[in-house]
């Protein structure tokens, strides 16, 4: 298969509101039944009551006794990037690349995705829609002596006739994880495949429809589908630069498929990234957690002395349906809900996204491309700002800026590490009056250009990808 | 300008054997005169006789007293990648991104490049052909109190009418440098520009012709021009998949311009990279130089106890033409000459390059794409092999393998850091009998595909780029 054939198959699935199996209402009922059948009890506990987790006597790092899974350590940052030039903070260290994998199969000529109703301890609502496979390397090398994860063999090259449709390395939250990445992979199977309990087949259009609901589709699903590049292989008519189309979905599709009408060339965008990476000074020193200044550890939490940003807590977990499992683990709890959003604007007849170059402590390569606004770690509400956030008011008060809200939902962060964290995901469209001239850390890109960068690892950050995943082509 | 316009302008320059100014023989004579007029005396000295350089009393790191320029430190490596699972080594740490910049200008409709005859202390032959600008951040922020480098202003956005044609972040030697990168940049000026002494205008075709000579074109020039992506904008007839063309140069051009006839899709190559990065374990710990095991420091050198790999020495430098400058600095001296080379093969009527996934201690992102064979740090000669190097014999004894040598020259490493280091650069073409099936750490790519990856930072390593720079389109 060529990249074009694959891109076209994905596009057909993204346009297929009618699925071979469940309709959307049927799915929602199925999901509700899964929730009802599920036990999900998370209890904050003292660190001292955790099993197999301890603070290292010298470093103060919070670690599992096997040395596996993840640990909470510290980093000290010096930079010339922003107003804050130096800080230290706790960070999650998980130096292994896990699988986020989806199995796809064609039914009636349309790709369907094998999705899972999955409980994670930190989920605000218990069960969310997950990829076929979420496996840390500890999972698939069996560190915890459990059984191998379901469907793992399809991703390990052990099943004949499996074709790889997408296989990308993508970053996680740079403000929380130290250079963490996952392998985002979609494989297509041709033969019969068992559908286990808690799994179901959905089209890409259905998954994208579910992204208009709060907290249904989990972060791992969102990052995998965000990497899909669509191609127009069947003569689909797409509005080009002949004036602004009426329909938001078709405009988005035009921005995805149009290679020609971008404000900047790809080389110009690369030059903009090169310049910022060249001029940015970023010194990242890994330090023991006990040496992280302005952070306090008490019996139940590690937190900033001003109760800002986030804290690390310990929880007792009881989850499952038929079989209830028990364990303890640390989770990261955000100090408040955040907001992330893209401004889009019709330029040359094609939607352009206002992309931000953003530096975060855990980035592998200094900066990544982020949404126009990303306020997750500080309180952005009026009167409490620590610093000015450009463009924020377009999201807080769109009606005052002739700004149309195209998307506004609450979406969850990964429930395996984050405690009930949800953030507002928004895409807003600004009008003619909004200047195409933007500050130097921002640049306009079409969806097609963003997808060009997303294929190469560590360009688009996870918040940008979360927003991109929610874009539907036909509304 | 679109990327296509720029790519076409570069292509015209790469095909322009006739330049507006000097012919090739005239250039060679000009270069010889520059050499004659130049003083170049490099004397190995004791570390104790260096000025402003010292070994840090605690760490043993070799540092400049300002803390700037670069330092020699240590790294300890643990990996599952190759036969050697653990080692420590000295490494050059230079945590700042310098400029390697070329000014281009159109004369008679053909882009010419403003090149410099430049002396570097480590150069085997004193003067080599360099970019318009080589500047470390220390240079352009004036740490050493010298004057600003010539032509710096054209790269700093201070001259109106300057257009950026190429602007990429590219890696240096991963076995010698800790995550070092440079900003490779080509800018086009429209107006008049003074040509200073030691500078001259050459077409890209001329620079590429000079790459068939030993040690004329320096590494910095090679890396900048390697990043150029060519486009076919003027109806140039290029042999496609209609059988193997007679002319090597045209075959290479076909491989560069053909988007269709590659053995693997770009997504397949990305998947291959993703898989290797996901499965590779690489733990890089920065350690004090004094804690690097199996390396010895005496009064004049830091070297491996078996005299393998490389050593760090101190030199007294006297160079200049009218004005002779003096200083002392450390240089890295290789234990022997190395060899690097690509195997190419006609597949589907298009040249494919056999690319290797290579892990080196100083890589930012685990692996980079390397030549088929890269033996720089170990002795590869028969009977002395520490380990088997796949495909090496095709380069050592091409006549025994029905292999045609397309390129074979000696090229220098960067003379600002490396002492008289030259390595054999080869491209060899294998015949029908050579199996397209290759080991898992190797993959076939067309030149067009390689150039797709080269635009995104940290994919192609510097050795691969050095070889790519030498490819001429018409022989």
């Amino acid at each position: 298969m060529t990249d074009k054939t694959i891109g076209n198959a994905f596009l057909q699935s993204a346009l297929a509101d009618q699925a071979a199996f469940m309709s959307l209402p049927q799915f929602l009922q199925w999901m509700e039944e899964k929730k009802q059948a599920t036990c999900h009890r998370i209890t904050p506990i003292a660190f001292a009551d955790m099993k197999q987790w301890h603070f290292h006597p010298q470093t103060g790092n919070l670690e599992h006794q096997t040395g596996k899974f993840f640990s909470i350590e510290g980093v000290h940052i010096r930079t010339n990037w922003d107003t804050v030039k130096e800080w230290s903070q706790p960070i999650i260290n998980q130096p292994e690349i896990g699988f986020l994998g989806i199995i796809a199969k064609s039914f009636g000529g349309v790709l369907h995705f094998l999705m899972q109703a999955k409980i994670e301890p930190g989920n605000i609502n218990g069960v969310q829609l997950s990829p076929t496979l979420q496996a840390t390397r500890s999972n698939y090398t069996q560190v915890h002596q459990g059984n191998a994860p379901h469907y793992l063999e399809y991703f390990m090259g052990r099943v004949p006739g499996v074709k790889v449709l997408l296989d990308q390395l993508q970053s996680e939250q740079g403000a929380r994880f130290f250079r963490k990445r996952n392998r985002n992979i979609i494989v297509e199977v041709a033969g019969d495949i068992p559908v286990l309990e808690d799994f179901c087949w959905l089209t890409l259009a259905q998954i994208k429809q579910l992204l208009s609901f709060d907290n249904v589709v989990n972060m791992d699903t969102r990052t995998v589908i965000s990497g899909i590049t669509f191609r127009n292989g069947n003569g689909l008519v797409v509005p080009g630069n002949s004036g602004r189309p009426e329909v938001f979905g078709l405009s988005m599709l035009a921005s995805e498929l149009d290679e020609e009408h971008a404000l900047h060339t790809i080389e110009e965008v690369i030059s903009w990234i090169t310049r910022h990476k060249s001029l940015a000074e970023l010194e990242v020193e890994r330090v023991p957690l006990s040496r992280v200044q302005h952070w306090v550890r008490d019996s139940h939490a590690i937190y900033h002395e001003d109760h800002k940003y986030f804290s690390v807590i310990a929880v007792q977990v009881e989850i499952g349906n038929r079989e209830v499992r028990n364990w303890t683990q640390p989770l990261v709890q955000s100090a408040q809900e955040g907001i992330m959003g893209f401004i889009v604007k019709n330029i040359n007849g094609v939607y352009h996204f206002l992309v931000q170059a953003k530096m975060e402590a855990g980035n592998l390569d200094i900066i990544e491309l982020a949404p126009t606004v990303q306020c997750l770690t500080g309180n952005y509400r009026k009167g409490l700002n620590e610093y000015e956030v450009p463009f924020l008011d377009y999201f807080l008060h769109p009606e005052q800026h002739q700004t149309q809200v195209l998307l506004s939902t609450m979406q969850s962060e990964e429930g395996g590490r984050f405690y009930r964290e949800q953030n507002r995901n928004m895409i807003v469209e600004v009008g003619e009056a909004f200047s195409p001239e933007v500050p130097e850390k921002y640049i306009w890109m079409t969806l097609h250009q963003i997808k060009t960068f997303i294929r190469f690892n560590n360009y688009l950050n996870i918040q940008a990808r979360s927003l991109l995943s929610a874009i539907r082509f036909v509304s």
Side-chain angles (χ1 to χ4, degrees), chain A residues 448-467:
Chain A
H448 182 85
Q449 293 183 319
I450 291 173
K451 291 297 180 75
T452 300
F453 282 94
I454 218 170
R455 304 165 88 187
F456 300 92
N457 52 252
N458 293 87
Y459 278 97
L460 269 294
N461 82 354
I462 194 167
Q463 288 82 13
R465 301 199 314 276
S466 174
L467 288 164

Side-chain angles (χ1 to χ4, degrees), chain A residues 99-105 114 132-133 135 140 148-167 183 185-196 199 201:
Chain A
F99 270 116
L100 303 179
I102 297 179
I103 291 176
K105 184 172 158 65
L114 188 58
T132 320
L133 176 72
Y140 66 83
H150 296 310
Y151 300 108
L152 177 65
E153 63 274 21
Y154 291 88
F155 299 92
M156 299 286 280
R158 293 187 200 135
V159 178
V162 171
K163 282 179 285 198
V164 175
L165 303 185
L166 175 149
D167 190 2
R183 184 174 178 185
I185 181 166
I186 302 178
V187 299
E188 182 181 1
V189 299
D192 284 344
I193 179 168
V195 176
L196 302 176
F199 288 81
W201 293 106

Side-chain angles (χ1 to χ4, degrees), chain A residues 15 83 96 100 126-127 130 188 192 214 219 232 248 288 296 326 333 347 351 380-381 386 405 436 443 471:
Chain A
L15 296 171
T83 45
E96 50 168 48
L100 303 179
V127 176
S130 306
E188 182 181 1
D192 284 344
D214 292 349
M219 176 57 98
N232 187 6
F248 154 63
V296 181
N326 284 273
Q333 180 173 24
I347 301 175
Y351 266 146
Y380 59 84
R381 286 171 188 79
E386 291 178 77
V405 176
I443 197 167
I471 293 171

Side-chain angles (χ1 to χ4, degrees), chain A residues 410-439:
Chain A
M410 297 301 283
Q411 299 296 346
S412 297
E413 303 301 307
E414 218 275 303
R417 298 288 173 273
F418 301 108
Y419 182 70
R420 299 185 179 177
E421 178 167 353
Q422 57 176 350
N423 294 294
R424 183 152 294 282
N425 280 230
M426 293 181 77
I427 300 179
V428 302
E429 180 179 359
V430 294
E432 276 300 304
F434 191 95
S435 171
E437 297 290 320
V438 291

Side-chain angles (χ1 to χ4, degrees), chain A residues 69 94 96-99 134-141 180 182 417:
Chain A
F69 304 111
Q94 188 174 1
E96 50 168 48
I97 293 171
F99 270 116
Q134 289 173 203
T136 62
R137 185 180 283 163
S138 309
N139 277 145
Y140 66 83
T141 58
K180 175 85 177 86
N182 281 310
R417 298 288 173 273

